[in-house]
Amino acid sequence: MQQPAPSALLSAPAPQSSPASQPAPEPLTSPAPAALPAQRGWRGLLVRAGLRVGPGAAERSERADHAAARRFWTGPRTIAVVNPKGGAGRTPTTAMLAAVFARHGGAVVAWDAAAGAGTLGWRTQHRQHDASAIDLRDHLDDFLWTDARASDLMSFVHHQDEDLYDVLPGRAMAAGALDESWSAADVAELHGLLATYYRLVVVDTGASAEDPAWQAAVAAADQLVVVATPHPAVIASGRRLLEALTHRGGHHAALARGAVGVLTEAEPGTHRAAVAAAASGQLLAPEQVSVVPHDPAMVDGVLTYDRLHRRTRRAWLRAAAMTAAAMPEHSDVVVGDLA
């Protein structure tokens, strides 16, 4: 039989299949987390034995929180961790929220914007340099050029190897370095740079609510996380702050309305007191508050998510999920604006 010429094969139309013989491809989607088989407890044992059993309520809730923590937004977002009272838990909350969000999507920086001596740099992993936000402030012009790269920030931030986020300490890490204060313009300019290179900025605002730098950090925030311990004075400080922001109106009032709370058990045995404080509405409504139990790994040393007890990690996951769920879909913050 004579074979057709190669040119005829190239120009011949491709055979057409009928719709019935060539069904449309299925969309590439993953099943909802709640629909996946159980992995824990006796339900997980049955699944490993070959039976298909769905997850229980606790596992479904945890999966939902993981899904919430993976939420992405159009454009960068900024979380301000606030309470002017010392010992309220700002630094651990900043670090752990950054850790959870980084583990669920990356490009997260925790920034110590406290006026004077902040503690975030001392509670997180140091890199092989002593740079801080002060140094980055003095080199902002280096990042105005078109050939600036995200990797250039590694000379100033301290990457957390286990928790996958970056830390920008608020002061020089070298021993004996002098503290330097921040201006509102400093905060606005640094926030603009960080929002260019990171999808999420988590800010430890410090303890001076009257300081212009503190006010600029809050003005740049899309979401407020109010922290407290069960101590009445700490809770009252957080409550007064929310009232002051509400009274100011505009963006600040919106932040106060949408705020979430984190109550950390500062000492063993106070967990019930923390729950009671949250339920009484002294800080926020109970459904707006995540309670973190006491954990010795939170007290001193470098804060690392995997070194915490499982129940503590679960509480921080819940706090991050609540924060993500409360975050506005569209940001009304103009990066670099001090208003």
Side-chain angles (χ1 to χ4, degrees):
M1 179 181 296
Q2 185 177 4
Q3 299 295 325
S7 58
L9 289 173
L10 292 173
S11 60
Q16 300 296 316
S17 300
S18 64
S21 63
Q22 189 173 357
E26 292 292 329
L28 297 177
T29 57
S30 300
L36 296 173
Q39 296 178 347
R40 295 185 179 156
W42 63 267
R43 295 171 181 268
L45 290 174
L46 291 177
V47 170
R48 287 188 285 275
L51 300 177
R52 185 174 181 85
V53 181
E59 190 171 353
R60 290 198 304 272
S61 174
E62 185 168 351
R63 291 181 182 185
D65 285 347
H66 278 293
R70 286 192 293 268
R71 181 184 175 192
F72 275 73
W73 304 270
T74 301
R77 291 293 187 273
T78 299
I79 298 168
V81 180
V82 299
N83 190 324
K85 187 71 174 175
R90 289 185 310 272
T91 295
T93 300
T94 300
M96 290 300 98
L97 288 180
V100 173
F101 283 118
R103 286 163 171 258
H104 288 78
V108 179
V109 62
W111 172 26
D112 192 341
T119 58
L120 185 62
W122 305 111
R123 298 300 311 276
T124 51
Q125 190 177 12
H126 299 175
R127 304 315 306 161
Q128 295 182 5
H129 62 75
D130 293 318
S132 70
I134 297 293
D135 302 290
L136 182 56
R137 179 195 65 183
D138 296 339
H139 289 81
L140 283 176
D141 289 348
D142 296 346
F143 292 88
L144 298 179
W145 302 98
T146 56
D147 60 350
R149 299 159 298 186
S151 58
D152 296 333
L153 281 171
M154 292 301 105
S155 297
F156 303 94
V157 298
H158 300 257
H159 185 68
Q160 306 301 294
D161 291 337
E162 295 181 42
D163 288 335
L164 308 179
Y165 67 98
D166 294 339
V167 170
L168 182 61
R171 64 175 184 175
M173 300 303 298
L178 296 176
D179 295 336
E180 296 190 48
S181 60
W182 293 97
S183 69
D186 289 335
V187 171
E189 291 175 356
L190 266 177
H191 175 257
L193 175 64
L194 296 177
T196 300
Y197 289 98
Y198 294 93
R199 78 174 183 96
L200 186 63
V201 183
V202 187
V203 187
D204 182 346
T205 58
S208 182
E210 302 302 321
D211 189 272
W214 187 97
Q215 296 173 11
V218 171
D222 300 284
Q223 180 62 42
L224 214 62
V225 175
V226 187
V227 297
T229 66
H231 195 283
V234 180
I235 294 174
S237 174
R239 185 70 243 173
R240 286 195 298 269
L241 175 62
L242 289 172
E243 292 169 353
L245 293 174
T246 300
H247 180 73
R248 183 167 180 177
H251 177 63
H252 293 78
L255 286 173
R257 286 194 302 271
V260 299
V262 173
L263 273 161
T264 55
E265 181 186 351
E267 298 177 359
T270 59
H271 184 57
R272 290 183 180 178
V275 174
S280 68
Q282 294 179 41
L283 183 65
L284 288 163
E287 63 273 13
Q288 294 175 274
V289 178
S290 177
V291 180
V292 179
H294 175 77
D295 192 320
M298 296 287 298
V299 177
D300 294 305
V302 173
L303 293 161
T304 307
Y305 187 74
D306 279 341
R307 296 179 189 176
L308 304 177
H309 190 280
R310 188 185 185 283
R311 68 176 182 275
T312 314
R313 297 197 304 270
R314 179 68 186 92
W316 284 119
L317 171 62
R318 180 63 185 146
M322 292 173 61
T323 303
M327 193 91 71
E329 186 66 32
H330 302 285
S331 176
D332 63 352
V333 174
V334 178
V335 173
D337 189 8
L338 299 182

